[in-house]
Amino acid sequence: MLKRWALKIPVLLLLMSLAMNLMAATLVVKIDGVSKEQEQNIRSMLSLESLQSKAVASDSRLRYLYGKAENEISKALQPFGLYRPEISSQLTEGEQGWVAQFNITPGPVLLINTLDMQLLGEALQDDAFNKLFSGSPLRNGTPLIHSVYEDMKKKVNSLAAERGFYQGEFTEHRVEVDLVTYQANIVLHYDSGPRFRIGEVVFSESPLSDDFLMRYLPFKKGDPVQSGKLLDLQGALVDSDYFQRVEVRPLWGQAVGAQVPVEVTLDANKRTKYRAGIGYGTDTGARTTLGVTRRWVNKQGHQFNTQLRASEIRNNLAAEYSIPGLRPQQDRYAVNLSLNEENSDNVETSNRLLGVSWQKQQGRWQQVAALGFQQEDFTIGSETTQTTFLIPRISLSMVSTKDRLNVQNGYRLTLQALGGSDVLLSDTNFVQLRLGAKAVHSFTPKLRLLGRADVGLTFVDDFDKLPVSQRFFAGGDNSVRGYEYQSLSPKDDSGDGLGGQNLLVGSLEVDYRLKGNWGVATFIDAGNAFEGTDTDLHIGVGVGLRWFSPIGPVRIDLAIPQSGDENGIRLHLNLGPDL
């Protein structure tokens, strides 16, 4: 009997303890009279805050912490220059529990009386340092805000590290507060010491020559050490695809005078990269991609890339040999060879292209100048035509967004001009201009507006000789949804699509992200390929389902044509980044 009761006693004690905790009153801390930022700092320093919304198990501990509160509040307001706050407080217990009420009158802000801020050393000759010191928010007669003072010190140290003042230090830094006169005195002396400069740049062993790698340097020997330039070098080498790991660091311990050697440690990627993929799109049907890239062919960083894309409608075999330019991260030259074949309900064509190109990155703009010799066979109705063209091409493109795989806001622009002349290996004279634009704007984290426009103009002497690959068609996943792929263009008497000299396509879409990575969309598309100014725009409207995958949105759309001979509902399936 006693043994049974002995076993029950711990359980009873535990239940009693739980019941007492449930019955204990909770604490609410209320703070009035200060800004949100000031209140946040007060609560971070207030010991009483540790009991906020919790059951008060000990009245004596509560009153002890409450007794410390006014002193803690006063200290919490000092970083804001408030050294004379008036605080009234009250601790009460009621039916709802304990309430600690603090009413605060912050009082006057303490002002800076004298500011002794000096810059010494070689930084006196540096415009960036002079701009920082002359633009400092610390001024005589302004409020003493401790965070502004500390932020100024951080900016000085950061700028020194960025601009090669490795030995820079504050020789004096202090804030003196006089509560009698209610004024502050600030002393801030910084001695930058010498400005260190780039010495020898040493690369670790790699499959590429040092002479080639030196072309990536955004600086030269004797230039000031700047952390931003070192990071630019690291980023350029990583982006080159030659290396899987790059580390750039100045060897401060090996400095000779004010010259610092720079060590670049490289860990090469595998020399050959293989790619394979499968997919499906309503424009192409089932498709597969196979590719091989030789990341470096020789020590000068030449690269070779070949790719096969096969689908039910389009097939493409392409090879490219690229040669880095004088600034490899900005420009490169290439020789291209491609074989293309397309057989859809509206287009039947095959062409061979041999070309050369020069690509340059200028800020956010990618510039391409190309020259291609093209032979193309195309069939319209029962007639097959063979054409030959030498086509110079210039294009500008840019993409502006923080994350291309998860676009919240951004845009894409593409401008292109090309042509041919019958005196330079082309069957007829033509000039063509193309403009493509797309923008994404988020109203909320879940609601986006997407707009798209494509415009094309062609000036040609003999349209019948213009290859199908240079004619315009509309309709399909990335054009006017609700219509078959490339079904919108002028037609011959038999109803076969001829393609158009001009193109005008526009789209507006709204999508809304539901739970997780799923979303819905609604859209309206309009456009056509046409001759002259007879646009006769065709319109498609519809709704869609979105899955925001790690490699870009998967789009499943149901679209209804609103004009023309087509009717019914058309399914469109597409995958890829919004921009």
Side-chain angles (χ1 to χ4, degrees):
M1 185 75 170
L2 287 174
K3 187 179 288 187
R4 267 204 315 264
W5 272 104
L7 292 172
K8 292 180 179 179
I9 287 173
V11 176
L12 291 172
L13 291 174
L14 178 60
L15 291 173
M16 290 173 63
S17 175
L18 289 172
M20 290 177 65
N21 281 333
L22 289 172
M23 293 172 61
T26 58
L27 171 68
V28 175
V29 178
K30 295 182 178 181
I31 299 174
D32 294 322
V34 293
S35 69
K36 187 174 181 180
E37 184 181 7
Q38 292 166 354
E39 180 182 347
Q40 189 175 17
N41 197 51
I42 290 171
R43 290 187 182 276
S44 70
M45 297 182 66
L46 196 61
S47 301
L48 197 62
E49 186 71 12
S50 64
L51 301 181
Q52 170 81 284
S53 302
K54 295 181 181 178
V56 177
S58 170
D59 290 2
S60 59
R61 175 163 178 76
L62 170 64
R63 295 185 185 281
Y64 169 72
L65 296 180
Y66 171 74
K68 298 171 59 178
E70 290 194 14
N71 186 50
E72 291 172 340
I73 291 172
S74 295
K75 289 183 178 179
L77 290 173
Q78 289 177 8
F80 301 94
L82 301 170
Y83 284 80
R84 291 179 178 174
E86 295 179 3
I87 305 167
S88 62
S89 61
Q90 188 176 18
L91 181 64
T92 58
E93 183 181 15
E95 294 181 359
Q96 303 300 321
W98 290 93
V99 176
Q101 176 73 50
F102 298 96
N103 296 310
I104 304 168
T105 301
V109 178
L110 185 138
L111 302 179
I112 298 172
N113 179 41
T114 61
L115 176 64
D116 180 11
M117 192 161 63
Q118 297 182 26
L119 176 63
L120 308 170
E122 286 189 25
L124 281 168
Q125 283 74 51
D126 185 58
D127 290 341
F129 259 98
N130 287 315
K131 183 178 179 181
L132 176 63
F133 270 69
S134 64
S136 170
L138 295 173
R139 290 280 190 276
N140 289 335
T142 61
L144 171 65
I145 308 297
H146 287 253
S147 60
V148 174
Y149 168 78
E150 293 297 336
D151 185 56
M152 181 61 184
K153 289 169 60 181
K154 288 178 183 177
K155 286 180 178 178
V156 171
N157 283 324
S158 177
L159 188 61
E162 179 185 333
R163 301 187 65 79
F165 294 96
Y166 175 64
Q167 294 179 344
E169 63 177 352
F170 285 100
T171 55
E172 290 188 68
H173 56 99
R174 64 181 183 272
V175 176
E176 300 170 346
V177 174
D178 187 338
L179 293 179
V180 177
T181 61
Y182 205 63
Q183 292 177 329
N185 303 313
I186 293 179
V187 178
L188 201 61
H189 295 178
Y190 186 80
D191 187 348
S192 69
R195 189 173 191 183
F196 285 80
R197 300 183 178 273
I198 299 289
E200 296 294 332
V201 179
V202 181
F203 294 94
S204 66
E205 185 177 350
S206 82
L208 303 173
S209 70
D210 286 359
D211 288 341
F212 170 65
L213 294 174
M214 291 290 283
R215 283 153 55 186
Y216 278 92
L217 299 184
F219 47 74
K220 60 183 182 295
K221 186 176 180 179
D223 284 352
V225 177
Q226 296 186 38
S227 59
K229 295 288 188 181
L230 299 178
L231 289 173
D232 288 345
L233 173 59
Q234 181 174 320
L237 290 172
V238 170
D239 292 342
S240 71
D241 199 35
Y242 298 124
F243 309 103
Q244 61 179 330
R245 187 182 70 88
V246 178
E247 183 180 354
V248 180
R249 62 190 185 98
L251 302 176
W252 299 109
Q254 298 179 26
V256 177
Q259 282 209 331
V260 184
V262 175
E263 180 182 66
V264 184
T265 304
L266 305 168
D267 187 359
N269 266 318
K270 291 183 178 180
R271 188 172 190 177
T272 304
K273 177 171 65 175
Y274 301 93
R275 300 183 306 282
I278 59 174
Y280 181 86
T282 46
D283 284 354
T284 61
R287 59 178 182 248
T288 185
T289 301
L290 300 172
V292 178
T293 298
R294 196 73 163 168
R295 285 189 169 100
W296 64 89
V297 175
N298 52 32
K299 286 183 172 292
Q300 295 306 310
H302 294 194
Q303 295 178 319
F304 179 73
N305 177 57
T306 183
Q307 182 170 263
L308 170 65
R309 292 180 177 177
S311 70
E312 298 174 37
I313 294 176
R314 286 181 292 184
N315 297 305
N316 167 261
L317 177 62
E320 178 183 85
Y321 188 91
S322 64
I323 302 169
L326 185 62
R327 302 288 296 163
Q329 63 268 53
Q330 294 178 350
D331 65 309
R332 61 178 51 236
Y333 305 88
V335 179
N336 310 90
L337 173 66
S338 67
L339 306 174
N340 304 280
E341 185 179 274
E342 183 170 331
N343 292 286
S344 67
D345 293 340
N346 303 291
V347 174
E348 185 176 337
T349 181
S350 66
N351 67 55
R352 287 78 58 196
L353 174 67
L354 176 63
V356 293
S357 64
W358 172 56
Q359 177 180 309
K360 182 177 178 63
Q361 191 73 33
Q362 190 75 29
R364 290 189 297 177
W365 287 95
Q366 184 182 83
Q367 308 170 15
V368 178
L371 181 66
F373 180 72
Q374 172 184 304
Q375 287 186 328
E376 183 166 337
D377 303 322
F378 58 91
T379 301
I380 295 176
S382 58
E383 185 177 344
T384 299
T385 305
Q386 184 178 74
T387 61
T388 300
F389 278 84
L390 181 67
I391 302 177
R393 183 190 313 261
I394 297 174
S395 69
L396 297 172
S397 62
M398 71 172 298
V399 176
S400 177
T401 184
K402 292 182 179 180
D403 183 356
R404 288 198 67 180
L405 297 180
N406 183 22
V407 179
Q408 295 299 313
N409 292 284
Y411 60 90
R412 179 196 69 213
L413 290 174
T414 303
L415 306 169
Q416 191 175 102
L418 60 149
S421 171
D422 58 9
V423 298
L424 290 173
L425 302 178
S426 297
D427 287 347
T428 189
N429 299 312
F430 85 98
V431 173
Q432 191 171 91
L433 305 174
R434 300 180 180 183
L435 166 65
K438 187 172 183 181
V440 179
H441 177 72
S442 292
F443 295 104
T444 71
K446 292 187 175 184
L447 182 66
R448 302 189 307 168
L449 174 67
L450 297 88
R452 168 172 51 88
D454 294 287
V455 179
L457 298 172
T458 307
F459 307 92
V460 59
D461 286 353
D462 188 347
F463 182 77
D464 291 339
K465 292 181 179 180
L466 190 69
V468 166
S469 61
Q470 306 307 325
R471 301 184 186 187
F472 292 115
F473 296 85
D477 299 343
N478 295 301
S479 181
V480 184
R481 286 165 286 189
Y483 297 86
E484 187 181 353
Y485 172 63
Q486 294 195 342
S487 63
L488 300 180
S489 78
K491 293 178 170 53
D492 62 13
D493 295 338
S494 302
D496 295 315
L498 297 172
Q501 286 183 233
N502 305 314
L503 176 74
L504 181 60
V505 171
S507 173
L508 284 176
E509 178 176 319
V510 175
D511 67 25
Y512 183 79
R513 187 172 293 216
L514 301 172
K515 188 174 182 180
N517 291 325
W518 290 95
V520 292
T522 184
F523 57 85
I524 178 171
D525 300 337
N528 202 358
F530 53 92
E531 296 179 6
T533 58
D534 184 18
T535 56
D536 188 23
L537 297 181
H538 290 245
I539 298 173
V541 298
V543 295
L545 182 66
R546 301 289 181 266
W547 178 52
F548 298 95
S549 77
I551 57 173
V554 177
R555 308 173 189 87
I556 304 172
D557 293 323
L558 294 175
I560 303 173
Q562 301 296 300
S563 52
D565 298 331
E566 294 197 33
N567 51 47
I569 298 177
R570 187 166 185 83
L571 173 68
H572 295 272
L573 175 64
N574 199 9
L575 163 66
D578 289 311
L579 298 178

